[in-house]
Amino acid sequence: MREKEFHVISTGVSIITNLKSKKKLYTDIGISEEDRWKEIMENPEEIRKVVQIVSADPMVMSAELNTFLRVVKDKDPSNISVFLFGTKTMSNELCRTAIQEYLKTKGYVLYSPQEVSGYFYEAKYYPEVAVSDFQKDLFTLVDILIYIAVKKKEEGFKVFFNPTGGLKMHVVATTIAGFITSSEVYYMNEEFNDVVFIPNLFYLPKGKELLLLKMLLQKEETTLEELIPSEASSCEVQEYKDGIQRLALYGLVRIKDNKIILTERGSIILDKIRELF
């Protein structure tokens, strides 16, 4: 049985940008002109035109599909679920709708999309509300993405995060949620013209790893043998060894000539953990 996949995709407005740049549609409408995008979203014929154009050349018309379709190439769509999220704006809703409709026709499983503050309308008339809503939605977004990833992993899915599209802070939030949940994070590197999987750059130590960091604070450098308590069982010894390997992998310690050295990154993260607890 093939592994089930769950892809969280941050959605921007690349479809509209491409429609405008290629002079196919909407060349006279600005991205922030919500009233005009609202008129388009209320017109089924307009939506149908956008979907047709995207479906004819999805990897050219959509940055999000360009990365996603490369990652799922030759895989069974019925084993792949997709969760889209984007801003509470008519322009973004149009792009998400086009992506959803295309994916549905190809047999992918679609989950209800999530919307976060886009602030175009609010910023124009209520700037204080726009900033407040944006901050609150950003915190909520990270919580939602982490919850979804953990839940799906418990259900047997391999979870992917695609932070290709959307506002910069939404891209950051997507990436952080992917790192925290140890999920696969990928994006399209324009210079390589290919998908790049990002190594986990964010890690919170736990258990034996946290204990090792605290012990390393007391010594400038030491060896693994000096760190492991003499009364430790064989199972615990292995836990310590695995912990050091993970700490080294994420750059929290450095190993040189059998010596283990706490890095500046490790010291900073340990300080942050102390602030939290």
Side-chain angles (χ1 to χ4, degrees), residues 28-270:
D28 62 331
I29 307 178
I31 293 295
S32 61
E33 293 185 59
E34 280 292 274
D35 291 341
R36 297 191 65 183
W37 293 118
K38 186 173 184 294
E39 291 176 6
I40 290 168
M41 278 302 297
E42 291 173 347
N43 187 332
E45 179 57 27
E46 289 294 322
I47 295 174
R48 187 187 64 78
K49 285 194 295 185
V50 175
V51 171
Q52 282 185 333
I53 293 172
V54 171
S55 298
D57 204 346
M59 295 176 74
V60 168
M61 295 306 300
S62 167
E64 297 83 1
L65 289 175
N66 191 25
T67 49
F68 171 75
L69 292 175
R70 290 169 187 260
V71 172
V72 301
K73 184 180 179 182
D74 299 327
K75 297 177 182 178
D76 183 357
S78 65
N79 283 331
I80 299 172
S81 299
V82 178
F83 176 87
L84 301 171
F85 79 86
T87 56
K88 295 175 185 173
T89 59
M90 290 294 121
S91 54
N92 191 273
E93 187 175 345
L94 177 62
C95 294
R96 273 184 285 122
T97 299
I99 293 172
Q100 279 181 276
E101 292 304 312
Y102 169 79
L103 292 175
K104 281 180 187 176
T105 63
K106 297 301 179 182
Y108 294 98
V109 180
L110 271 294
Y111 279 68
S112 298
Q114 174 73 24
E115 291 186 328
V116 289
S117 181
Y119 70 78
F120 288 148
Y121 177 84
E122 297 95 327
K124 184 175 181 180
Y125 298 104
Y126 310 102
E128 297 84 3
V129 173
V131 171
S132 176
D133 284 353
F134 184 75
Q135 291 172 333
K136 285 187 292 186
D137 274 10
L138 198 58
F139 280 114
T140 302
L141 173 63
V142 174
D143 285 343
I144 289 171
L145 296 183
I146 291 172
Y147 172 81
I148 289 171
V150 171
K151 188 73 174 171
K152 289 301 161 188
K153 285 191 172 191
E154 290 174 351
E155 294 174 5
F157 285 84
K158 183 174 183 179
V159 179
F160 294 79
F161 281 84
N162 178 349
T164 298
L167 297 173
K168 288 181 179 178
M169 283 311 300
H170 295 159
V171 169
V172 171
T174 308
T175 306
I176 288 175
F179 288 165
I180 289 176
T181 57
S182 296
S183 302
E184 299 283 345
V185 181
Y186 62 89
Y187 81 111
M188 183 69 187
N189 186 299
E190 307 246 338
E191 292 181 10
F192 301 153
N193 192 33
D194 202 358
V195 172
V196 174
F197 281 81
I198 308 173
N200 197 329
L201 305 176
F202 180 87
Y203 182 72
L204 284 178
K206 52 190 176 295
K208 289 289 191 294
E209 299 155 24
L210 190 55
L211 180 60
L212 286 165
L213 285 180
K214 290 178 179 177
M215 293 165 67
L216 281 167
L217 273 180
Q218 311 303 318
K219 300 180 180 182
E220 192 168 313
E221 61 179 45
T222 186
T223 64
L224 181 58
E225 289 72 21
E226 291 173 333
L227 288 173
I228 300 175
S230 57
E231 68 276 10
S233 66
S234 59
C235 183
E236 288 179 313
V237 169
Q238 189 59 50
E239 287 181 18
Y240 278 106
K241 289 181 178 179
D242 292 343
I244 284 294
Q245 288 181 347
R246 280 192 294 273
L247 292 174
L249 177 64
Y250 295 113
L252 305 186
V253 302
R254 183 162 50 91
I255 301 175
K256 183 179 180 182
D257 299 327
N258 281 334
K259 293 289 186 180
I260 301 169
I261 305 161
L262 181 67
T263 64
E264 184 176 359
R265 181 188 295 185
S267 180
I268 289 171
I269 286 183
L270 192 53

